[in-house]
Amino acid sequence: MREGDYTRAPAASSQRINRRRNAVNSRRTIVLKVSDKVISEVFSDDLPGPLEDGCFVRIDEVPSSVSLPQFILFFGKRVKQLVSMTQSYEFDFSEL
């Protein structure tokens, strides 16, 4: 670009823009083990429900742009509250 020529700016490719949109809009399911002291992700086929020392909780439709540490930091306390109030172990992200 020449000095003073501001009519042409480099445009982002449409493929790159679509990839970003898909990454932001994609969703995933997280299964957590929730106890009095710890909340951690588990990779298990066990159904959500109570355990001796806590419970398994499944959260559906979590945006992929939200990392697991962010989720636990921002929503961990809310998940514990919902489990104790509703005795339910499956939630949609929008419920939090």
Side-chain angles (χ1 to χ4, degrees):
M1 208 160 40
R2 293 178 293 175
E3 186 177 1
D5 184 11
Y6 297 106
T7 58
R8 299 182 65 165
S13 74
S14 61
Q15 289 177 342
R16 192 170 13 156
I17 291 170
N18 287 337
R19 277 196 304 264
R20 286 183 189 157
R21 282 185 190 147
N22 290 339
V24 169
N25 294 330
S26 65
R27 307 288 177 156
R28 69 184 193 278
T29 297
I30 294 176
V31 178
L32 301 172
K33 181 178 180 186
V34 178
S35 68
D36 290 336
K37 297 180 182 180
V38 178
I39 298 175
S40 61
E41 184 175 30
V42 292
F43 302 98
S44 173
D45 292 333
D46 292 334
L47 296 175
L51 299 169
E52 274 186 36
D53 61 339
C55 60
F56 285 132
V57 179
R58 186 171 77 199
I59 313 295
D60 294 318
E61 298 295 316
V62 178
S64 61
S65 59
V66 177
S67 71
L68 181 64
Q70 286 174 325
F71 182 85
I72 291 172
L73 180 66
F74 295 128
F75 300 105
K77 194 175 199 178
R78 180 70 180 143
V79 168
K80 284 183 178 183
Q81 289 172 344
L82 283 174
V83 167
S84 66
M85 288 182 345
T86 64
Q87 295 301 308
S88 179
Y89 303 98
E90 294 184 54
F91 300 100
D92 215 33
F93 183 75
S94 61
E95 294 177 68
L96 304 177

